[in-house]
Amino acid sequence: MNQKIIDAMAGLDDEVLMEEVQAAAQSGVPAGDIIADLQKGLDIVGERFAAKEYFLSELMMSASIFNEASGLFCGGEEAEGASKIGTFVIGTVETDIHDIGKNIVVSVMKSNGFRVIDLGVDVPAQKFVDAVRQYQPEVIGLSCLLTTCFEHMKRTVEAIRTEGLDKGRLILIGGGPVDDRTVAYVGADARCETAQVTVEKAKEFLGV
């Protein structure tokens, strides 16, 4: 655990954070450990937001800082050796623009050797279908933070299955309000409580 990374992320001190993250990466600290520290810092940001110490602008800033920091060690669109593991398509479903949780999953999956196709936020069902057809991922991830978006998540899963694109693939869902009842409602294969669980379920499915 690197307390300096946690404190800098929580304090939104991007200059110090970038220096600490870069130093950690160059000294051989595993990407997963750096991500864990960044996430702890994000958790504190969330607590401060809930306590009204931080406001929406700080919350948005934290997401931007996290993305910049994780980019220092996650690199481009795919990690080295990614094709040896598999491809992962992920996006936040239609009408939901939350991306902090999704971005954490993207970074963790990349650092574990997956080729990641990030569709962004507010992604309509057809865009998921098109991406699955184009990139042929083994694993698909749907994210949302609003219960009002469960219907869009359901429509997306249905669209993928209607096109027969679910065959031989794992459909995962995640987000704060997602539980086992959501999995049953939307027709997904499983839910992931954390980014690391996403990695574990994906690797288990692929047998690696």
Side-chain angles (χ1 to χ4, degrees), residues 68-139:
E68 184 180 355
S70 61
L72 293 177
F73 56 89
C74 284
E77 186 60 29
E78 61 183 278
E80 182 181 354
S83 60
K84 297 179 181 178
I85 296 183
T87 299
F88 177 59
V89 164
I90 184 172
T92 302
V93 298
E94 190 170 7
T95 73
D96 194 331
I97 60 171
H98 295 90
D99 67 354
I100 294 179
K102 174 187 68 64
N103 291 342
I104 291 173
V105 172
V106 167
S107 295
V108 173
M109 290 293 278
K110 282 184 178 180
S111 68
N112 277 272
F114 283 85
R115 177 190 183 211
V116 178
I117 309 300
D118 183 1
L119 302 180
V121 301
D122 190 17
V123 182
Q126 188 59 48
K127 188 172 181 179
F128 272 102
V129 169
D130 293 343
V132 173
R133 186 175 286 115
Q134 177 180 354
Y135 297 106
Q136 295 295 308
E138 292 84 0
V139 185

Side-chain angles (χ1 to χ4, degrees), residues 25-181:
Q26 290 176 347
S27 65
V29 176
D33 291 349
I34 301 175
I35 287 287
D37 289 335
L38 289 171
Q39 188 160 5
K40 286 177 184 176
L42 280 177
D43 289 342
I44 296 173
V45 170
E47 291 169 3
R48 292 176 180 174
F49 178 73
K52 299 190 184 326
E53 296 174 28
Y54 280 170
F55 300 95
L56 184 58
S57 58
E58 282 84 6
L59 200 61
M60 295 174 66
M61 185 186 301
S62 71
S64 176
I65 292 173
F66 172 86
N67 290 340
E68 184 180 355
S70 61
L72 293 177
F73 56 89
C74 284
E77 186 60 29
E78 61 183 278
E80 182 181 354
S83 60
K84 297 179 181 178
I85 296 183
T87 299
F88 177 59
V89 164
I90 184 172
T92 302
V93 298
E94 190 170 7
T95 73
D96 194 331
I97 60 171
H98 295 90
D99 67 354
I100 294 179
K102 174 187 68 64
N103 291 342
I104 291 173
V105 172
V106 167
S107 295
V108 173
M109 290 293 278
K110 282 184 178 180
S111 68
N112 277 272
F114 283 85
R115 177 190 183 211
V116 178
I117 309 300
D118 183 1
L119 302 180
V121 301
D122 190 17
V123 182
Q126 188 59 48
K127 188 172 181 179
F128 272 102
V129 169
D130 293 343
V132 173
R133 186 175 286 115
Q134 177 180 354
Y135 297 106
Q136 295 295 308
E138 292 84 0
V139 185
I140 304 165
L142 280 64
S143 174
C144 82
L145 197 62
L146 304 173
T147 56
T148 53
C149 294
F150 285 171
E151 192 61 36
H152 292 290
M153 186 174 272
K154 180 179 181 180
R155 291 174 186 169
T156 300
V157 174
E158 289 175 347
I160 292 170
R161 295 195 186 282
T162 297
E163 294 293 325
L165 296 172
D166 60 311
K167 303 298 188 292
R169 295 188 170 93
L170 179 68
I171 301 177
L172 302 174
I173 61 173
V178 170
D179 57 21
D180 290 335
R181 290 174 297 178

